[in-house]
Amino acid sequence: MSHARTLTATRALTPVLPVVAVIVLLALPDAPGHEGGATLADAASGAVVLCCAVRLLYHRRRPLSPTAAVVLGMPVVGIAVAAAGAEVPGTAVAGFSRYLQIFVLVPAAVLLLVRDRRDVRLLAWSVVGLAVWQGAVGVHQYATGTGASYMGREIRAVGTYGPDDIMAMVTVVAFGLVCAVGLALGSAPVRQRVWALVCALLLVVPLAVSFSRGAWIATVLACTAQLVLAGLRRAVRVGAVVAAVTVILMGQFGVGSALLQERLSSIGQVAHAPDQSVADRYALWAAAADMWRERPLTGVGLKGFPEHRDGHASLTLSSGSDTEGAGAAYRKQPLLSPHSMYLLVLGEQGLIGLLTLAGSWLALLVLGLRRLARARRAGDPGLDCALIACGLLVWHLVSFAYADIGGPSTVLFAVCLGLSAWWALARPDPTFPEEAAAR
């Protein structure tokens, strides 16, 4: 009996709790910090890395398998080369630290702290909880006209993050929706799957009133991939239910308004009649590509895009984007990135940086999909973990075509990348024999 109680207490004190704390801190109103500065969640992510290092020393374990070390360590090469070639050393050091934190250290720490599928589900439900909270705040902003300014009306849902981080709430909501879909498609008890499905359907509303075309596209593709990977028959059934309930929710909450319909129709017009935001994005993309042509192998250096932007951008680029609402005064927000992670890396880190960073993500996707296929054939009860990991990775790979990192949701991206890495790369924890048996 005492042994059982000890085992239960040990499991309750899971080493992944510091990662949960990072997610919880993103729910606080002051989480964004001051205009893109370090946040409480960023500080907590540093504590996660420290906890991981202490745990490794205490258990005297080898940190990573050779495959994991290569896949997660690949981005370091491009980041280091770009930092060495930067024109402003101080900015390069800050950029090197940030990239190392987001793309290497935090994902590796999450990979090592997660022990088994129960830890993955704990993190997934934490992300869903954060998304529901931020989504509820966003829907309230839309309904009461207290959100960020959009088309002259303060109705854009931004959660607690404000208009300066316009993509933060929708990114959190999208992560939560993908996690909820993965949980709903798994083999957990029926009650948990039903709650996951309810959360997924509810999160459609704040996703819609964020008016973010890019997030819509990435979420639809990621959830579609999850449905297909879970099985075609289930994909058809669940897809029909989701479509029906989504139509009902959109009608009930008034989401199917003229503004939303106009935003949806504009997705097909970005190449023919782009609005100013799309025109700015095209100009920024062209500037990043021009920087790459100037220095194809190493780019202009970490954090070098703002400094080199005006020398490569066309005259169609505006001076900045207008932001106001959600309790903030009007301000002109400068356009300091190309709003495409691939082009940002290509312009600042060159081919070396793009191949190492994107190559790491593609390797995770291939390894994750291969393990998912084995899990399906073996009837693995951890299929929900596979769907969560692969769904989040697909979301990032799609979203990074027209979005980049920045703002309070960046550290959550690092946590999600760690979840994907755990499914693709983790070895069984010898401390927990049931995990080894499950694999």
Side-chain angles (χ1 to χ4, degrees):
M1 183 66 70
S2 60
H3 175 72
R5 285 198 298 268
T6 302
L7 184 60
T8 302
T10 301
R11 182 158 296 284
L13 296 174
T14 170
V16 86
L17 287 179
V19 186
V20 175
V22 173
I23 299 171
V24 171
L25 287 172
L26 287 170
L28 299 179
D30 61 344
H34 302 284
E35 297 188 7
T39 68
L40 288 174
D42 285 320
S45 71
V48 167
V49 176
L50 181 61
C51 288
C52 179
V54 171
R55 185 168 184 264
L56 290 175
L57 290 173
Y58 178 77
H59 290 288
R60 298 181 181 180
R61 294 177 53 196
R62 189 172 64 180
L64 296 169
S65 68
T67 301
V70 170
V71 172
L72 290 179
M74 283 173 60
V76 178
V77 177
I79 297 170
V81 171
E87 297 177 2
V88 183
T91 303
V93 170
F96 179 81
S97 301
R98 183 62 166 168
Y99 271 73
L100 200 64
Q101 171 202 6
I102 299 302
F103 296 115
V104 181
L105 295 180
V106 174
V110 173
L111 162 63
L112 292 166
L113 290 175
V114 170
R115 297 174 303 183
D116 54 27
R117 290 160 176 80
R118 279 168 287 194
D119 284 351
V120 172
R121 294 179 187 118
L122 173 61
L123 290 178
W125 277 113
S126 300
V127 174
V128 173
L130 172 65
V132 169
W133 160 245
Q134 290 293 344
V137 175
V139 171
H140 179 266
Q141 291 169 334
Y142 171 80
T144 59
T146 56
S149 178
Y150 176 76
M151 301 291 287
R153 298 166 60 186
E154 295 186 353
I155 58 172
R156 190 168 192 174
V158 292
T160 63
Y161 302 118
D164 290 336
D165 291 306
I166 203 76
M167 292 301 298
M169 186 218 73
V170 68
T171 301
V172 169
V173 167
F175 290 169
L177 202 156
V178 171
C179 288
V181 169
L183 290 165
L185 294 173
S187 56
V190 175
R191 180 179 297 181
Q192 292 186 33
R193 283 185 283 147
V194 169
W195 275 113
L197 181 59
V198 170
C199 290
L201 293 173
L202 290 177
L203 288 172
V204 171
V205 180
L207 182 70
V209 296
S210 70
F211 296 101
S212 173
R213 294 169 293 202
W216 295 345
I217 295 171
T219 305
V220 167
L221 291 178
C223 292
T224 301
Q226 288 177 302
L227 288 169
V228 173
L229 291 171
L232 291 178
R233 290 184 180 179
R234 180 182 289 184
V236 173
R237 292 197 302 267
V238 175
V241 172
V242 171
V245 178
T246 299
V247 170
I248 295 173
L249 284 174
M250 290 174 68
Q252 179 67 27
F253 284 91
V255 180
S257 63
L259 284 174
L260 180 58
Q261 293 174 22
E262 180 183 347
R263 191 67 165 173
L264 282 168
S265 63
S266 69
I267 293 176
Q269 300 171 357
V270 293
H272 305 290
D275 54 32
Q276 185 58 49
S277 66
V278 176
D280 285 340
R281 188 160 300 192
Y282 287 162
L284 292 167
W285 288 359
D290 198 43
M291 293 178 198
W292 166 67
R293 283 189 289 268
E294 183 180 293
R295 300 181 186 178
L297 283 180
T298 60
V300 297
L302 281 184
K303 299 292 185 177
F305 183 88
E307 183 180 350
H308 292 81
R309 183 199 64 182
D310 292 340
H312 296 84
S314 67
L315 297 177
T316 60
L317 181 65
S318 65
S319 58
S321 60
D322 300 332
T323 63
E324 63 177 325
Y330 171 83
R331 69 185 292 263
K332 181 76 73 171
Q333 190 171 27
L335 304 173
L336 302 179
S337 76
H339 295 287
S340 169
M341 192 66 203
Y342 301 123
L343 288 174
L344 176 64
V345 173
L346 191 64
E348 292 188 344
Q349 302 180 37
L351 280 175
I352 296 175
L354 183 64
L355 290 176
T356 53
L357 197 60
S360 174
W361 300 335
L362 288 175
L364 288 177
L365 183 62
V366 170
L367 293 171
L369 290 174
R370 188 174 67 177
R371 187 176 169 200
L372 186 150
R374 291 199 304 265
R376 280 193 59 188
R377 288 195 300 268
D380 193 325
L383 184 62
D384 54 345
C385 300
L387 295 174
I388 292 168
C390 294
L392 289 171
L393 200 51
V394 169
W395 195 95
H396 291 127
L397 291 174
V398 174
S399 176
F400 279 165
Y402 39 77
D404 50 35
I405 61 171
S409 61
T410 302
V411 71
L412 187 59
F413 156 76
V415 171
C416 293
L417 186 62
L419 284 177
S420 300
W422 179 85
W423 175 257
L425 301 169
R427 299 175 298 184
D429 190 332
T431 310
F432 297 92
E434 71 276 11
E435 174 65 8
R439 294 196 186 190

